[in-house]
Amino acid sequence: MNHITKPLSAGLYLVATPIGSARDITLRALDILASADLIAAEDTRTARKLMEIHGVPLNGRKVVAFHDHSGEGAVAGLVAAIKAGKSVAYVSEAGTPLVADPGYELGRAVIAEDLPVTSAPGASAVLAALTVSGLPTDRFAFVGFLPATKQQRETEIAALRDAPFTLVFYESPKRVQEMLTNLRDVLGEERQAVVCRELTKKFEEISRGTLAEVAAAFADRKVKGELVVLVGRAGAIDVAELDVETALREAMKTMRVKDAATVVAGALGLPRRQVYQTALGLGNDK
């Protein structure tokens, strides 16, 4: 395949790459990869393989590594190249750079020097998951990865409980079971959810249902591949005070007052401050 190779003006070009199928790349992305003076990549092997698949020759050009562990020296080196009149194409391992992927510090550094930053948009796991989820897409929030520890994860989920838009998360295969359980316990069993696995790849799988159903479906599975988890927007729920107290008494058997209030507030769709005050009252009664 022939690619348009013409000199690019100096600047940083953020190039989206496929999240699965190698054919999900734009013609403009290929033209930039064919023309850039220097290519920076989160994973140089993946970048070289992608260019090889699409017949983009390097012709002696360098492919340098730039990832989350790259230091200030790597940023400074790429900025210096652009200041010297070079065009730099940056690609993350898959998807759109900066979206739960490296590139933010580099982009900020280039902007700080008043140098051009250009986007070559394309594949994004966030948008791909939204379009196949069946959940509302008019308003959504991309949360990315939740904290690794259970308490921090549940606290962050609780803070998102009343958000009036679809929530989009990334998660690793090793933690998805625990994450879905936390979502169910904090947001409530009836909230709609979708788990997208291996989007655009051969074994693509979309699992839809309530949080209770989805959590149960993944409870005993050994999961592989990339995952996007989506949760439907919050809805109004009427809860009796007796139900709140009953739920708190049960939770406080195994949790501290603060943690019990967080979990119960999320599960019942109530303001955390209100539930915490009730929990304090129960604790004093006890």
Side-chain angles (χ1 to χ4, degrees):
M1 181 177 180
N2 294 324
H3 307 290
I4 298 176
T5 54
K6 62 180 181 180
L8 296 173
S9 58
L12 175 64
Y13 295 79
L14 302 170
V15 181
T17 55
I19 60 175
S21 174
R23 295 181 66 82
D24 289 336
I25 191 166
T26 68
L27 295 175
R28 180 166 176 247
L30 293 174
D31 292 342
I32 291 172
L33 291 175
S35 304
D37 296 314
L38 177 64
I39 297 166
E42 179 184 10
D43 187 315
T44 58
R45 291 171 299 179
T46 300
R48 288 176 181 274
K49 181 64 176 177
L50 181 65
M51 293 172 69
E52 180 183 323
I53 289 172
H54 291 288
V56 179
L58 280 171
N59 292 332
R61 295 175 299 152
K62 289 184 178 180
V63 180
V64 300
F66 185 84
H67 43 68
D68 283 330
H69 303 293
S70 297
E72 293 181 1
V75 173
L78 292 172
V79 172
I82 296 171
K83 291 180 73 173
K86 302 292 186 182
S87 54
V88 176
Y90 178 68
V91 295
S92 52
E93 185 173 8
T96 301
L98 279 72
V99 182
D101 272 324
Y104 174 74
E105 295 300 334
L106 176 59
R108 290 285 297 172
V110 174
I111 291 170
E113 294 291 336
D114 199 26
L115 297 167
V117 177
T118 301
S119 173
S124 166
V126 176
L127 298 180
L130 277 166
T131 56
V132 300
S133 69
L135 296 175
T137 59
D138 55 332
R139 299 180 71 195
F140 66 90
F142 174 58
V143 184
F145 288 94
L146 288 168
T149 63
K150 180 176 184 292
Q151 183 174 339
Q152 289 179 319
R153 190 163 54 240
E154 289 187 337
T155 298
E156 187 161 329
I157 293 170
L160 296 166
R161 182 198 64 233
D162 299 323
F165 31 72
T166 298
L167 303 174
V168 187
F169 305 89
Y170 283 167
E171 192 50 276
S172 72
K174 294 181 179 179
R175 291 209 309 256
V176 69
Q177 296 167 336
E178 186 175 359
M179 178 224 194
L180 290 171
T181 299
N182 297 150
L183 287 170
R184 179 200 66 195
D185 293 345
V186 177
L187 300 181
E189 296 187 346
E190 296 305 312
R191 188 82 72 94
Q192 291 296 306
V194 180
V195 178
C196 301
R197 188 177 69 86
E198 295 287 80
L199 283 168
T200 79
K201 300 178 183 177
K202 181 178 180 181
F203 298 105
E204 176 177 295
E205 176 187 24
I206 314 296
S207 302
R208 303 179 181 89
T210 63
L211 275 171
E213 292 168 341
V214 174
F218 280 82
D220 299 314
R221 288 186 58 184
K222 289 186 177 180
V223 184
K224 294 182 179 180
E226 304 295 327
L227 295 158
V228 183
V229 177
L230 305 95
V231 179
R233 62 183 53 164
I237 301 175
D238 293 325
V239 183
E241 184 66 25
L242 180 59
D243 293 334
V244 177
E245 293 182 1
T246 300
L248 280 171
R249 291 183 192 280
E250 186 64 28
M252 288 166 62
K253 291 179 181 178
T254 57
M255 300 180 185
R256 297 181 302 171
V257 171
K258 182 179 179 180
D259 296 335
T262 297
V263 171
V264 171
L268 298 181
L270 296 171
R272 182 185 175 283
R273 184 184 298 274
Q274 172 189 327
V275 177
Y276 182 58
Q277 292 301 317
T278 302
L280 287 176
L282 293 175
N284 292 333
D285 292 344
K286 184 177 179 180

